[in-house]
Amino acid sequence: NAGVTQTPKFQVLKTGQSMTLQCAQDMNHNSMYWYRQDPGMGLRLIYYSASEGTTDKGEVPNGYNVSRLNKREFSLRLESAAPSQTSVYFCASSNTGGGYEQYFGPGTRLTVT
Amino acid sequence: GIQVEQSPPDLILQEGANSTLRCNFSDSVNNLQWFHQNPWGQLINLFYIPSGTKQNGRLSATTVATERYSLLYISSSQTTDSGVYFCATVGASGTYKYIFGTGTRLKVLA
């Protein structure tokens, strides 16, 4: 099993450009999450999907959109990138939400100039 | 929402020393995880421990849910233990919104 995979690993964008970060899991988990980690900080939840077909805002959703494409895949889109979105983005999955262990992908390092 | 605080923020140890990291949370929880973020940025699951005690090699963790804290013990530390240790939880109300502490940055010197 690959666990949680993310693409791309690195990305540089200019201000105003758009891009989509991809995440997939092969553990048959119901819930998936997107986090951002700024330098020297903990992780903050951007959006989550409790189950296929549902998405909800986390702590810092502004400037992002998400799509739960199917049970395996959860994408994060930046429509108009800003320098404040320079961060490392992590995707995670868990069996069913709050009461279960989360597993994380390797992260995407995004720089917006 | 639930608040999560970790202490100490920074820790420097000589190889072979023991340490205790603490995670305090402001409300009841039904999930508590400890992670190690290695120097390459990878997040490694250490323990899923909403209550009780677990051990895995040189590491062990204890969560006392009624007193709203969790402890991570590292014994006989090695340089490979260096990195940042995070705890994370959701409230007992069943929300999916995980909250992370700000972490303890550990450096183990050879």
Side-chain angles (χ1 to χ4, degrees):
Chain A
N1 287 352
V4 181
T5 57
Q6 294 182 233
T7 55
K9 288 187 167 54
F10 301 93
Q11 184 72 48
V12 179
L13 292 178
K14 293 189 188 312
T15 298
Q17 287 185 319
S18 62
M19 78 161 296
T20 299
L21 281 63
Q22 306 286 355
C23 174
Q25 52 91 10
D26 63 2
M27 295 175 281
N28 201 34
H29 284 168
N30 293 317
S31 302
M32 297 185 73
Y33 312 82
W34 277 105
Y35 293 87
R36 62 177 287 174
Q37 185 180 30
D38 299 325
M41 305 281 288
L43 280 72
R44 292 183 294 169
L45 183 64
I46 304 171
Y47 270 94
Y48 64 96
S49 171
S51 59
E52 190 178 351
T54 69
T55 61
D56 272 296
K57 295 177 181 179
E59 188 182 354
V60 287
N62 290 346
Y64 305 96
N65 287 301
V66 291
S67 295
R68 182 75 182 267
L69 304 170
N70 48 54
K71 190 172 186 179
R72 288 188 64 246
E73 298 172 289
F74 189 37
S75 63
L76 178 72
R77 183 160 178 84
L78 286 70
E79 290 290 352
S80 178
S84 60
Q85 294 178 304
T86 294
S87 192
V88 180
Y89 291 85
F90 288 96
C91 178
S93 70
S94 70
N95 204 352
T96 303
Y100 291 85
E101 187 171 4
Q102 290 185 96
Y103 295 85
F104 280 82
T108 294
R109 189 172 297 273
L110 175 67
T111 301
V112 183
T113 60
Chain B
I2 193 167
Q3 308 291 320
V4 180
E5 293 181 354
Q6 291 187 244
S7 59
D10 296 280
L11 190 56
I12 300 175
L13 298 174
Q14 210 58 44
E15 200 169 27
N18 302 329
S19 62
T20 301
L21 282 57
R22 187 175 180 104
C23 173
N24 289 334
F25 34 92
S26 61
D27 204 349
S28 302
V29 299
N30 63 2
N31 174 312
L32 194 291
Q33 287 188 251
W34 282 98
F35 298 91
H36 175 214
Q37 188 167 39
N38 64 23
W40 296 271
Q42 183 183 8
L43 279 161
I44 300 162
N45 286 31
L46 297 177
F47 294 101
Y48 169 73
I49 185 163
S51 63
T53 297
K54 289 186 178 179
Q55 179 149 12
N56 184 2
R58 296 181 297 104
L59 273 61
S60 64
T62 295
T63 296
V64 183
T66 52
E67 297 188 22
R68 300 181 182 173
Y69 71 88
S70 183
L71 302 174
L72 177 69
Y73 305 97
I74 304 174
S75 64
S76 303
S77 58
Q78 301 175 357
T79 55
T80 52
D81 294 331
S82 296
V84 184
Y85 290 80
F86 291 104
C87 63
T89 188
V90 299
S93 61
T95 176
Y96 289 63
K97 296 185 179 182
Y98 285 85
I99 301 297
F100 276 72
T102 52
T104 292
R105 188 173 301 273
L106 174 64
K107 185 164 187 174
V108 181
L109 305 175

